[in-house]
């Protein structure tokens, strides 16, 4: 549905994007992560046709963004971080204006507006001028206009910015409901939001892609955690001799219980080997699992490599 190929964009001497490439399949929901100034907003503006790249290409639903920007925008919904809204218009008038700009006609226009209002919880604010709304409700109006025309592609830049915890949960539920039918790119600083709503994360730093993988792949490691009751003195040495084991560290060391972290080499599968060793030695195994990383730890490690401050 979205194909970004070797995309570059500079502002004077600053490389905002450098040869960025990735693909998004139809119905996929991906999280776009990166520190401030990493190039996320520039990337989203290019995908939606608001900026032109210096080089590279973007296709959306088979349409080249440079040659068919209008057609791309017809199938795309876009919520920038600060949604451009007219403060003097009521919520209802604002959405009707958005429908006019989208060229929506009856039959179907009224139903589309009603569906967007219900989906974003704006039913009780229809007659309220946008300028009198809280930041959270203004964000809802921006989201409503982005999904008004039932887009094939939805680009969301900090969609829960300014929302309270209940409203954040509502937006997450909306995104999950749209997943499968709508292709969604979600940019956010809230890592838990990506874990709650996205299948995959694209991490961008200093204008370059640092990681692009499903969340399960990002969190996976070759390390194993193993615990034993009534440990014996030779356990660490025996575990360290297993194929693929690089380091064995005791993380809990008590007379009647010991837990080890075994650092594995790339692609090592330690758990079956540990289980077989424990069976052969008649060790009392109480826990055995692959260690998992959080998205926060992955992001922080990449930021440290780049000399970035993880935001």
């Amino acid at each position: 549905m979205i194909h970004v190929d070797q995309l570059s964009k500079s502002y004077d001497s600053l490389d905002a994007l450098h040869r960025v490439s990735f693909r998004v399949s139809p119905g996929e929901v991906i999280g776009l992560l990166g520190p401030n100034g990493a190039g996320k907003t520039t990337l989203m503006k290019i995908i939606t046709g608001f900026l032109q790249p210096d080089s590279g290409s973007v296709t959306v639903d088979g349409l080249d963004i440079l040659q068919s920007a209008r057609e791309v925008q017809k199938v795309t919904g876009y919520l920038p971080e600060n949604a451009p809204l007219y403060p003097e218009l009521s919520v209802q008038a604002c959405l009707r204006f958005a429908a006019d700009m989208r060229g929506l006609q009856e039959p179907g226009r009224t139903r589309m507006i009603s569906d967007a209002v219900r989906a974003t919880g704006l039913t009780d604010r229809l007659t309220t001028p946008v300028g009198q709304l809280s930041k959270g409700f203004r964000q809802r109006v921006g989201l409503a206009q982005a999904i008004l025309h039932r887009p094939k592609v939805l680009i969301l830049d900090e969609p829960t910015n300014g929302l309270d915890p209940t409203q954040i949960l509502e937006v997450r539920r909306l995104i999950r409901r749209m997943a499968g039918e709508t292709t969604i790119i979600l940019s956010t600083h809230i890592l838990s939001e990506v874990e709650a709503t996205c299948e995959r994360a694209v991490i961008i730093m200093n204008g370059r892609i640092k990681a692009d993988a499903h969340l399960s792949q990002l969190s996976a490691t070759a390390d194993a955690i193993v615990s034993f009751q009534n440990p014996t003195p030779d356990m660490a040495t025996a575990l360290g001799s297993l194929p693929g084991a690089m380091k064995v560290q005791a993380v809990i060391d008590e007379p009647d219980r010991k837990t080890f972290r075994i650092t594995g080499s790339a692609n090592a599968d330690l758990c079956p080997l540990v289980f077989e060793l424990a069976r052969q030695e008649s060790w009392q195994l109480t826990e055995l699992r692959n260690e998992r990383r959080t998205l926060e730890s992955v992001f922080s490690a990449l930021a440290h490599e780049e000399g970035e401050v993880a935001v």
Side-chain angles (χ1 to χ4, degrees):
M1 180 59 73
I2 301 173
H3 183 194
V4 177
D5 186 36
Q6 298 292 304
L7 201 64
S8 294
K9 177 68 177 178
S10 297
Y11 300 103
D12 295 325
S13 60
L14 174 65
D15 286 337
L17 297 173
H18 181 73
R19 304 186 69 174
V20 168
S21 298
F22 64 94
R23 296 187 181 213
V24 188
S25 300
E28 193 174 13
V29 180
I30 74 165
L32 183 62
L33 297 172
N36 287 330
K40 304 187 302 297
T41 297
T42 295
L43 176 58
M44 288 184 287
K45 286 183 176 180
I46 291 174
I47 293 174
T48 52
F50 289 92
L51 278 179
Q52 288 195 353
D54 296 335
S55 61
S57 64
V58 178
T59 57
V60 178
D61 196 24
L63 301 167
D64 187 287
I65 190 63
L66 293 178
Q67 298 176 6
S68 309
R70 294 278 185 174
E71 286 73 18
V72 169
Q73 290 169 351
K74 288 178 181 178
V75 300
T76 302
Y78 178 39
L79 175 62
E81 184 173 359
N82 297 301
L85 302 170
Y86 294 99
E88 67 275 11
L89 295 181
S90 68
V91 170
Q92 187 175 52
C94 184
L95 295 180
R96 285 177 175 171
F97 175 73
D100 290 340
M101 296 297 292
R102 287 285 182 185
L104 301 182
Q105 303 290 330
E106 299 293 359
R109 170 192 159 104
T110 300
R111 177 63 181 272
M112 288 181 177
I113 294 175
S114 296
D115 287 348
V117 166
R118 284 195 297 271
T120 53
L122 289 168
T123 305
D124 296 334
R125 298 291 192 279
L126 288 177
T127 60
T128 305
V130 170
Q132 295 180 18
L133 295 173
S134 66
K135 183 176 182 179
F137 272 103
R138 289 197 301 273
Q139 194 74 351
R140 291 193 195 197
V141 177
L143 183 56
Q145 64 82 25
I147 65 173
L148 184 64
H149 57 301
R150 299 173 184 170
K152 291 183 179 181
V153 173
L154 185 59
I155 311 294
L156 303 173
D157 192 355
E158 302 289 345
T160 59
N161 186 24
L163 302 184
D164 63 36
T166 299
Q167 294 165 347
I168 289 173
L169 291 176
E170 291 173 356
V171 171
R172 288 179 182 176
R173 283 194 289 266
L174 173 63
I175 292 172
R176 285 194 291 267
R177 286 199 302 270
M178 297 180 71
E181 296 182 0
T182 305
T183 304
I184 301 174
I185 296 180
L186 165 68
S187 173
T188 178
H189 286 112
I190 306 172
L191 300 182
S192 60
E193 198 147 282
V194 173
E195 293 174 319
T197 58
C198 300
E199 310 160 16
R200 174 176 147 218
V202 174
I203 300 177
I204 183 170
M205 294 179 178
N206 292 323
R208 292 167 170 81
I209 298 290
K210 292 293 294 180
D212 178 3
H214 283 77
L215 298 187
S216 59
Q217 294 172 314
L218 285 173
S219 64
T221 73
D223 302 347
I225 299 294
V226 58
S227 296
F228 301 100
Q229 288 289 111
N230 303 316
T232 61
D234 61 339
M235 280 181 170
T237 301
L239 292 170
S241 67
L242 291 172
M246 299 175 63
K247 179 182 178 182
V248 178
Q249 178 185 8
V251 292
I252 297 177
D253 192 353
E254 298 173 349
D256 61 343
R257 182 169 68 103
K258 187 168 283 191
T259 299
F260 297 97
R261 174 184 290 109
I262 310 172
T263 302
S265 59
N267 301 317
D269 189 6
L270 292 171
C271 286
L273 300 177
V274 173
F275 181 82
E276 180 60 21
L277 177 63
R279 187 189 66 79
Q280 292 175 2
E281 299 293 334
S282 300
W283 292 339
Q284 297 180 41
L285 182 65
T286 59
E287 181 185 17
L288 177 60
R289 60 181 172 83
N290 286 112
E291 187 170 36
R292 312 291 290 182
R293 298 179 296 179
T294 64
L295 185 57
E296 180 179 1
S297 66
V298 174
F299 186 85
S300 296
L302 292 172
H304 181 73
E305 290 177 9
E306 287 289 300
E308 293 272 19
V309 177
V311 179

